Amino acid sequence: MMQPIAITLGDPAGIGPETIAKAFRDAPDATQGCFVAGDVGTMRRAAQLLGQPGLPVALIGAPAEVWSVPPRCIPVLQITELLAPVPYGQISALAGKVAADCVLWASRAALRGEIAALVTAPLHKEALAAAGLPYPGHTELLQAEAAAHLGKPLAEVPVRMMLANDELRTVLVSIHMSLRNAIEAVTFDNVLQTLRITHRSVGAALGRAPRIGVAGLNPHAGEGGLFGREEIDTIIPAIQAAQAEGLDVHGPYAPDTVFMRARAKPGQAGEFDVVVSMYHDQGLIPVKYLGVEQGVNVTLGLPLVRTSPDHGTAFDIAGTGVADASSLVAAIRMARKLSRI
């Protein structure tokens, strides 16, 4: 029997709990063997947003108990208890702490081998900071937990963010930092390390070596040095080093066209299986434009499987009952697939 998958609560003031409830209601095949690492009261409030008939919420005492919960019922392992509901759509240190506690528990359970994967509902970065957590997001928190578990320095557990849907995959050289710092992060070592992680992780999912396209940093990929020398001095040498190691890597290409070349269409594969992007927005904008509802965030390089939906807490619609659970369902399906590799 496969181990269960934990879905972390996310920020209780956001749409995470609602999308979790909808996933259990609308995709029972995907959520079978899943449980919520969170708070029973918060999930019962979320279930009420679905209208009648309501979806029952069951308290479980251990992950393995998920298999005894009836279908169309939401199993919840109580990680942290909210004595009173937090207001929807408001940043608070309490909500940030609740979200972080759930992720910390799930990451440690995954590292101990007690769960197959974790799917993280969205948290709010300002709430996380208000709670005193020294991490800008899930990725950095999970990296720190993995390093501590392995007894290694943080630098020896490199991670990268991949955003993927049915049409496009992209892996980022840098994640949550200012654009100025992201440009400075385009170093030979960082680009080569990203190519290696992409080759290993995406290759494992595909069952073959992936075709990797690389986006340039500058307009027109620098135009031979006319618009910047980062491609000549840094990116091309990293690509050549990766090619010397046997990686199927090509570029750098103009960032305004490489994603179109990589995009898969019905019955037609793209030119590349994945694009390595130099910074956060360069890679995420094209994937999100194709449809945020189906996008999945995957953390590469960790000794565990972690996926998440391609959206945030959506405080503007939290509590209204209109949130779309499609991206969360896609993240659950992706986690199940990756955990079986």
Side-chain angles (χ1 to χ4, degrees):
M1 180 180 293
M2 182 180 173
Q3 289 179 305
I5 292 173
I7 306 172
T8 61
L9 185 70
D11 191 306
I15 65 169
E18 178 189 339
T19 59
I20 293 171
K22 287 181 175 178
F24 275 91
R25 181 193 67 186
D26 300 335
D29 61 321
T31 54
Q32 183 180 18
C34 296
F35 68 94
V36 182
D39 171 58
V40 169
T42 299
M43 284 310 305
R44 284 180 174 152
R45 180 175 72 157
Q48 290 173 357
L49 295 174
L50 307 187
Q52 297 298 327
L55 206 62
V57 175
L59 177 66
I60 60 174
E65 293 179 17
V66 69
W67 303 110
S68 62
V69 174
R72 303 183 68 82
C73 182
I74 306 173
V76 179
L77 184 66
Q78 189 80 33
I79 304 301
T80 181
E81 184 174 5
L82 279 168
L83 299 180
V86 298
Y88 282 121
Q90 294 184 21
I91 297 169
S92 73
L94 176 59
K97 183 179 184 304
V98 167
D101 286 347
C102 296
V103 177
L104 288 168
W105 179 89
S107 64
R108 292 166 185 172
L111 289 166
R112 291 192 299 264
E114 297 170 4
I115 58 175
L118 62 152
V119 178
T120 57
L123 50 72
H124 199 288
K125 292 176 176 58
E126 289 184 51
L128 201 66
L133 275 294
Y135 310 108
H138 280 112
T139 305
E140 296 83 359
L141 187 157
L142 292 168
Q143 180 188 26
E145 283 297 305
H149 176 80
L150 297 171
K152 294 182 176 181
L154 204 62
E156 293 185 17
V157 188
V159 297
R160 293 295 187 272
M161 172 194 252
M162 179 174 76
L163 203 65
N165 58 29
D166 291 339
E167 299 175 79
L168 186 63
R169 302 180 187 91
T170 186
V171 178
L172 312 179
V173 171
S174 63
I175 307 175
H176 300 119
M177 58 179 64
S178 72
L179 181 56
R180 186 180 304 277
N181 290 340
I183 292 170
E184 294 175 355
V186 180
T187 65
F188 173 87
D189 288 341
N190 283 346
V191 174
L192 179 57
Q193 188 176 70
T194 305
L195 294 172
R196 288 169 173 163
I197 292 172
T198 301
H199 171 80
R200 183 171 62 250
S201 300
V202 177
L206 295 176
R208 59 172 172 80
R211 298 163 297 158
I212 304 172
V214 180
L217 174 67
N218 297 297
H220 302 192
E223 198 72 78
L226 292 175
F227 305 145
R229 292 193 54 86
E230 285 85 359
E231 285 77 12
I232 294 172
D233 296 339
T234 303
I235 300 173
I236 291 175
I239 290 172
Q240 291 172 338
Q243 291 171 336
E245 295 176 7
L247 279 62
D248 189 2
V249 183
H250 307 274
Y253 299 111
D256 59 352
T257 59
V258 66
F259 297 100
M260 291 185 284
R261 295 171 63 174
R263 181 183 180 186
K265 299 176 183 178
Q268 180 182 346
E271 187 175 343
F272 308 110
D273 296 304
V274 59
V275 175
V276 166
S277 304
M278 292 300 115
Y279 57 92
H280 184 279
D281 285 10
Q282 183 189 63
L284 267 57
I285 288 172
V287 180
K288 292 191 175 188
Y289 180 77
L290 290 174
V292 71
E293 299 84 5
Q294 295 299 325
V296 178
N297 180 353
V298 183
T299 304
L300 307 182
L302 291 172
L304 55 82
V305 173
R306 177 259 172 164
T307 67
S308 72
D310 175 25
H311 58 70
T313 50
F315 277 177
D316 57 324
I317 61 170
T320 64
V322 301
D324 189 331
S326 299
S327 185
L328 178 67
V329 172
I332 295 168
R333 295 190 193 280
M334 178 73 78
R336 194 178 301 282
K337 176 182 177 182
L338 293 175
S339 64
R340 287 174 174 167
I341 292 173

